[in-house]
Amino acid sequence: MSERDADVPDEAEETVRVRFVVNGRKVARDASPRETLVDCLRTTLELTGTHAGCEMGACGACLVQLDGRAVHSCLMFAVQADGAAIDTIEGLSESGAISDLQAEFHRRNALQCGFCTPGMLVSAHELLSQTARPTRDEIRDALSGNYCRCTGYEAIVDAIEAVAKARASASCEDGGAA
């Protein structure tokens, strides 16, 4: 190795300090500038509910909530999430935010192998947080970025529609508007 090469830092060893809140817990760690958020969540933080599927943002298996919006964690670097609030499927489950969706997916057999289910639930959660009573077409549109090779989608659409109706009914009973 020449003297010139010795003065150049090894890019593989460069890291950046990132801080974010994951599932309500503050996290600070060193990340490679090229480490994807999905790899950081799965490997470093051991939150394996977020799946790395196509790694091109087409399948939806890697969806997480970043500052309240669903994002493909395979398409962003961990350093891009610095300062953000991230909710993974584990956090949404533990908080109870999607317990009715999970129960309805189970009841209607809207999951089979389970690989796509976390991303489907994140998409459904985002949709229902924005639209209280989506139509079946709106549900299908919201799921258009999620691939499922097992269920054929109808049971998933049925489950989301049933939860939307139940939430609207509960809201009316509590005095809210549907």
Side-chain angles (χ1 to χ4, degrees), residues 105 108-111 116 120 124 139 143 148 151-161:
F105 268 55
R108 293 181 179 267
N109 198 27
L111 49 98
C116 72
M120 292 284 186
I139 294 169
L143 297 176
C148 177
T151 67
Y153 297 95
E154 284 308 304
I156 295 168
V157 173
D158 292 344
I160 296 168
E161 181 182 47

Side-chain angles (χ1 to χ4, degrees), residues 21-38:
V21 177
V22 180
N23 300 330
R25 189 185 81 193
K26 290 181 181 180
V27 174
R29 65 173 297 274
D30 292 330
S32 162
R34 297 189 54 78
E35 180 183 20
T36 61
L37 182 57
V38 70

Side-chain angles (χ1 to χ4, degrees), residues 37-61:
L37 182 57
V38 70
D39 287 338
C40 175
L41 293 169
R42 289 184 59 80
T43 306
T44 305
L45 302 179
E46 298 179 356
L47 296 167
T48 57
T50 302
H51 295 141
C54 67
E55 297 188 38
M56 296 184 304
C59 73

Side-chain angles (χ1 to χ4, degrees), residues 109-127:
N109 198 27
L111 49 98
Q112 289 180 21
C113 80
F115 191 82
C116 72
T117 306
M120 292 284 186
L121 289 167
V122 170
S123 289
H125 174 67
E126 181 174 53
L127 171 66

Side-chain angles (χ1 to χ4, degrees), residues 36-157:
T36 61
L37 182 57
V38 70
D39 287 338
C40 175
L41 293 169
R42 289 184 59 80
T43 306
T44 305
L45 302 179
E46 298 179 356
L47 296 167
T48 57
T50 302
H51 295 141
C54 67
E55 297 188 38
M56 296 184 304
C59 73
C62 69
L63 287 174
V64 298
Q65 292 258 308
L66 182 91
D67 293 330
R69 295 295 317 233
V71 299
H72 292 91
S73 61
C74 74
L75 293 181
M76 68 182 305
F77 297 116
V79 296
Q80 291 175 292
D82 188 38
I86 302 165
D87 287 305
T88 67
I89 192 68
E90 291 91 347
L92 293 171
S93 297
E94 290 169 10
S95 71
I98 59 169
S99 60
D100 55 351
L101 281 165
Q102 290 173 303
E104 197 63 25
F105 268 55
H106 184 265
R107 190 176 87 67
R108 293 181 179 267
N109 198 27
L111 49 98
Q112 289 180 21
C113 80
F115 191 82
C116 72
T117 306
M120 292 284 186
L121 289 167
V122 170
S123 289
H125 174 67
E126 181 174 53
L127 171 66
L128 295 180
S129 70
Q130 296 172 356
T131 307
R133 291 290 300 264
T135 65
R136 291 181 70 81
D137 284 341
E138 288 171 325
I139 294 169
R140 285 186 186 96
D141 186 55
L143 297 176
S144 65
N146 297 82
Y147 287 160
C148 177
R149 292 183 173 97
C150 300
T151 67
Y153 297 95
E154 284 308 304
I156 295 168
V157 173

